[in-house]
Amino acid sequence: MGQNNLYSRKMIKREFNQPKLFKLLIEDTFFNIEKINMAFKKNTTIPLYQDDTEYVYYICNGIASVSIADEVFEFKGPYEFIGLSDSMINTNSEDFKITTIAETIIWRFIKSDVIAKIMSTQEGYLFHYLSMLDQYSFFTKKLMTMKKTHKERVFIALQELGEKFGSLVNHGNYVKIPPVFTRNLIAQYVGIGLTKLSDSLLTLQEENLIQVTSKREIILEIKSLM
């Protein structure tokens, strides 16, 4: 029987999400695996591969950037794994980096232990499958976005950051991008220089798509989020 006959996509997303996978991994009543709770200061590099061991991290609090060389291609926040579904990336490469952009608290697991425990459950493959599917969808969307204009790419990036990390302001009608997302970080994420980013932000502001406060905070209307 096919997977679509066993579960609706909505139910799968609800029952096999990342927080539930984390709960499974820290459960000690069966297949106890090594795990360490760790805290990192801002601007700390977190190794995914060290001393011939590959790691998986689960963020409890904080934000980390995922980058190759000088280009940031993803941000991970609370209740998300890092390293679980990065098989499309060479995580052994020195150019591949995980860097905290705020104080971050995580749980660290050995990746081989994680895969073994997942696969020891009756439907554990769904956890890993969905994680891989989400990562694939993200990369596909990222590639499609690269074909757009600088202004469009900046606005899409701001929508993503606002939806995922933003805080509500002005009676809940607007969302503010956290200040940890500096102009430099946003430029690296979009894949453009700081001058082009400034020009794009000015154009978006003139078109009333964003607001920029005197403190250089970026604010978007809730209805503009993706």
Side-chain angles (χ1 to χ4, degrees):
M1 184 180 294
Q3 177 184 306
N4 289 336
N5 294 327
L6 287 171
Y7 305 100
S8 70
R9 185 171 182 83
K10 184 176 180 180
M11 189 278 280
I12 289 174
K13 283 286 188 180
R14 184 178 67 247
E15 296 299 324
F16 298 92
N17 55 44
Q18 295 190 55
K20 288 196 175 183
L21 174 55
F22 171 67
K23 185 177 180 180
L24 171 69
L25 294 179
I26 63 171
E27 173 60 58
D28 291 335
T29 56
F30 81 101
F31 208 128
N32 188 17
I33 62 175
E34 179 182 326
K35 48 196 169 290
I36 301 175
N37 189 229
M38 308 173 74
F40 293 95
K41 294 181 179 179
K42 182 180 178 180
N43 296 325
T44 301
T45 299
I46 304 176
L48 273 182
Y49 190 86
Q50 192 174 39
D51 299 328
D52 297 323
T53 302
E54 195 168 0
Y55 294 108
V56 169
Y57 298 93
Y58 181 78
I59 300 179
C60 297
N61 188 38
I63 306 172
S65 65
V66 183
S67 62
I68 295 180
D70 293 326
E71 184 173 342
V72 176
F73 65 89
E74 189 174 11
F75 293 102
K76 295 284 190 176
Y79 319 120
E80 289 189 290
F81 281 97
I82 304 176
L84 180 62
S85 55
D86 299 294
S87 59
M88 290 176 280
I89 306 170
N90 181 9
T91 55
N92 300 346
S93 170
E94 292 181 357
D95 290 335
F96 186 90
K97 285 185 179 180
I98 307 296
T99 307
T100 58
I101 65 171
E103 291 186 0
T104 304
I105 299 173
I106 59 94
W107 280 90
R108 189 184 76 178
F109 305 89
I110 297 174
K111 187 169 184 176
S112 58
D113 289 348
V114 170
I115 300 301
K117 183 161 187 176
I118 290 174
M119 296 309 172
S120 72
T121 63
Q122 184 177 1
E123 296 159 325
Y125 78 95
L126 283 172
F127 282 116
H128 194 252
Y129 169 76
L130 282 176
S131 181
M132 293 291 290
L133 189 62
D134 287 344
Q135 198 69 54
Y136 177 79
S137 297
F138 175 81
F139 283 127
T140 301
K141 181 180 176 182
K142 186 82 171 175
L143 286 172
M144 292 178 65
T145 301
M146 296 304 291
K147 299 177 182 179
K148 297 183 180 295
T149 66
H150 292 151
K151 183 194 77 172
E152 290 172 331
R153 285 158 58 187
V154 170
F155 189 51
I156 289 171
L158 294 177
Q159 288 176 306
E160 291 174 351
L161 297 179
E163 184 173 26
K164 189 172 181 179
F165 302 106
S167 57
L168 296 177
V169 294
N170 298 343
H171 307 291
N173 295 317
Y174 294 82
V175 64
K176 181 175 69 175
I177 306 295
V180 293
F181 294 102
T182 63
R183 296 293 195 274
N184 190 47
L185 264 179
I186 295 173
Q188 290 178 42
Y189 182 54
V190 177
I192 60 177
L194 284 171
T195 300
K196 287 187 173 66
L197 174 65
S198 296
D199 292 342
S200 296
L201 290 175
L202 181 59
T203 301
L204 290 170
Q205 190 174 10
E206 290 173 345
E207 294 177 359
N208 295 317
L209 292 172
I210 67 170
Q211 299 175 24
V212 179
T213 71
S214 58
K215 296 181 180 179
R216 291 167 58 87
E217 298 170 322
I218 300 173
I219 296 175
L220 296 85
E221 248 187 303
I222 286 290
K223 65 181 182 181
S224 72
L225 296 186
M226 303 170 68

